[in-house]
Amino acid sequence: MPMTGPRPEIPGMSDLDEGWRRASHRLVLMRHAQAQPAAFGDFAMDADLRRPLSAQGRRSARQRGRDLHGIGFVPDLALISPSLRTRETWAEMGSFFGDRAPDVQYVNALYETSAEHIRDVLWEVDEKYCNIIVLSHNPGIGNLVVELAGRAGSGSLPPALSLGFPPAAMACFFSAIPWNNNWNSEMKLYRAMCD
C-alpha cells in the first residue's frame, strides 16, 4: 500500500538532507576520475580520447560510487562523454544504484565542452527522467557546478571545489521541477565531494 501524507522526520537530519530525500528531481554532475597522461608527444584528439584511468582514478571512482550509494542516489539516466576515462569512471563506480540500472547514453557533445553545451544536453532530456548523472570534463562540468551552486543560493562550495573541479569531483543538486527548464533558484546544492 503506498504511503500517503508527509514522510516521517528522521532524527538528526538536516534541512538539506530532508530536501534531498524528498526531492522529485536530483542531478549529479561529475568530472571523470584521474586519467593517465597521453603518450609523450602525442597531442592528437584520438590520443586524448583513449586515455585510461590511473590506479588512483580507479580508487576515486569506486569511492564516488560508494558516496552515491550512501546518499541513496538512483539515477534514471546516465549521460556520459564517450572518452575512455569517462566510460571507465562509470564502470568503476559499480552498481551503486542496486538492481534499478539507469538508461546509459554516451553523448559526443559532453566531450571537452562548455557549461552552456552541457546545459543544452540537459534541456533536451525527456521529462520522464527525474534523476540524472552527467559524467564529463573540465572546464565545462566544473564551470556549470560553480554557476548552478551560485544560483542555488544554498551556501558556498567547499574550498577544494571553489578553486577548481578536480578529477572525480562531484556535485549533487535537487529540485521540485524538471531539469529541462530549471536554471533558477528552485535548484539547491545538496552536497559536493572531491578527494
Side-chain angles (χ1 to χ4, degrees):
M1 177 181 224
M3 188 169 143
T4 59
R7 294 182 182 176
E9 295 295 322
I10 297 174
M13 182 175 281
S14 73
D15 288 344
L16 279 177
D17 290 329
E18 183 68 13
W20 173 262
R21 190 174 74 87
R22 291 178 179 260
S24 59
H25 294 78
R26 292 175 197 87
L27 174 66
V28 172
L29 300 175
M30 182 175 172
R31 183 180 175 192
H32 63 81
Q34 182 186 75
Q36 295 179 11
F40 182 74
D42 192 347
F43 301 109
M45 185 192 315
D46 190 49
D48 184 61
L49 280 166
R50 292 190 321 263
R51 290 171 51 208
L53 292 182
S54 66
Q56 173 60 41
R58 293 181 187 285
R59 287 190 294 273
S60 296
R62 287 191 291 269
Q63 181 58 51
R64 292 293 91 80
R66 290 189 292 271
D67 293 337
L68 289 175
H69 177 75
I71 62 173
F73 179 69
V74 179
D76 306 315
L77 177 65
L79 299 171
I80 302 170
S81 160
S83 73
L84 180 58
R85 60 194 180 274
T86 48
R87 290 183 287 122
E88 286 187 347
T89 298
W90 176 248
E92 288 292 332
M93 290 170 72
S95 298
F96 64 87
F97 39 77
D99 60 357
R100 292 174 42 206
D103 289 342
V104 177
Q105 296 177 13
Y106 296 96
V107 181
N108 290 337
L110 293 176
Y111 175 71
E112 301 293 330
T113 191
S114 67
E116 181 179 3
H117 286 130
I118 297 170
R119 280 195 314 270
D120 290 345
V121 168
L122 283 166
W123 278 336
E124 293 174 9
V125 169
D126 191 297
E127 285 190 18
K128 71 179 182 179
Y129 295 111
C130 296
N131 298 297
I132 301 170
I133 183 168
V134 178
L135 191 49
S136 189
H137 307 263
N138 262 359
I141 198 78
N143 289 342
L144 183 56
V145 166
V146 170
E147 179 183 327
L148 295 180
R151 287 186 184 181
S154 58
S156 59
L157 287 172
L161 294 182
S162 64
L163 299 174
F165 204 63
M170 182 167 68
C172 307
F173 296 88
F174 65 90
S175 175
I177 64 175
W179 302 114
N180 60 2
N181 62 6
N182 189 350
W183 305 111
N184 57 33
S185 60
E186 297 262 348
M187 188 179 300
K188 301 282 187 247
L189 173 65
Y190 171 53
R191 192 171 289 176
M193 301 170 224
C194 66
D195 291 338

